Amino acid sequence: MVMKNTIGAALLFGLALATLLVLGNLVVRDAFADDGFTKIRVAPGLATSSNFIDVLLPFLSNHPETDEGQGEMALKVDKVDGAYRVEITKTGYLDDSVSGEVYRGNVIRTKDGQWELIEMVVKPICSRGKPKNGRCP
């Protein structure tokens, strides 16, 4: 009888843990679940710096492309559950189909005081129509 209760409790705990992991994964995905976003691979432990902005520099540089056109950039940072959600919007691209891009990511403070970019996604802003499979028509 004790064996059945122990197995039953272990199964129940395992099911509860699996449910929490799945729901937690869904919550993280929902933060970036908008159609058209493509995940950018971020190597764990490599996108770090003592300066918050430094981990975002690869996404902030090279804009505007030239003095021609109306290149604009906006950076939004919100603190969410101990992490910082960032959104970078770049517009005014000198392209007839892609007018810009929106980047969304998460930056955390590590135990040793460094800033680390842990996730980044990107979505094109199309001049005409909506993106399909991460590309503009």
Side-chain angles (χ1 to χ4, degrees):
M1 183 70 166
V2 173
M3 181 74 158
K4 283 185 181 181
N5 286 342
T6 303
I7 292 173
L11 287 174
L12 186 59
F13 175 76
L15 182 59
L17 180 61
T19 302
L20 286 173
L21 290 174
V22 168
L23 289 176
N25 194 20
L26 290 176
V27 169
V28 170
R29 282 192 188 149
D30 285 345
F32 302 114
D34 299 334
D35 291 3
F37 278 94
T38 303
K39 188 170 185 165
I40 297 172
R41 287 186 164 196
V42 178
L46 290 181
T48 62
S49 176
S50 59
N51 186 329
F52 182 87
I53 290 295
D54 286 348
V55 298
L56 302 175
L57 278 180
F59 307 99
L60 299 173
S61 61
N62 299 321
H63 190 71
E65 299 168 277
T66 67
D67 288 338
E68 183 181 339
Q70 297 291 325
E72 294 182 10
M73 185 182 333
L75 171 62
K76 181 179 177 186
V77 180
D78 293 311
K79 189 171 184 179
V80 179
D81 297 329
Y84 292 85
R85 184 170 297 152
V86 297
E87 182 172 293
I88 302 164
T89 305
K90 297 165 131 182
T91 58
Y93 284 14
L94 302 177
D95 187 296
D96 61 348
S97 64
V98 180
S99 64
E101 293 176 303
V102 176
Y103 294 88
R104 290 184 182 163
N106 285 312
V107 177
I108 61 167
R109 188 83 163 194
T110 63
K111 291 178 191 174
D112 61 355
Q114 295 286 307
W115 293 102
E116 181 176 4
L117 177 67
I118 58 169
E119 181 178 27
M120 186 64 80
V121 295
V122 63
K123 176 181 178 178
I125 300 170
C126 301
S127 300
R128 301 176 302 276
K130 293 183 179 182
K132 294 179 184 174
N133 298 321
R135 299 193 177 267
C136 291

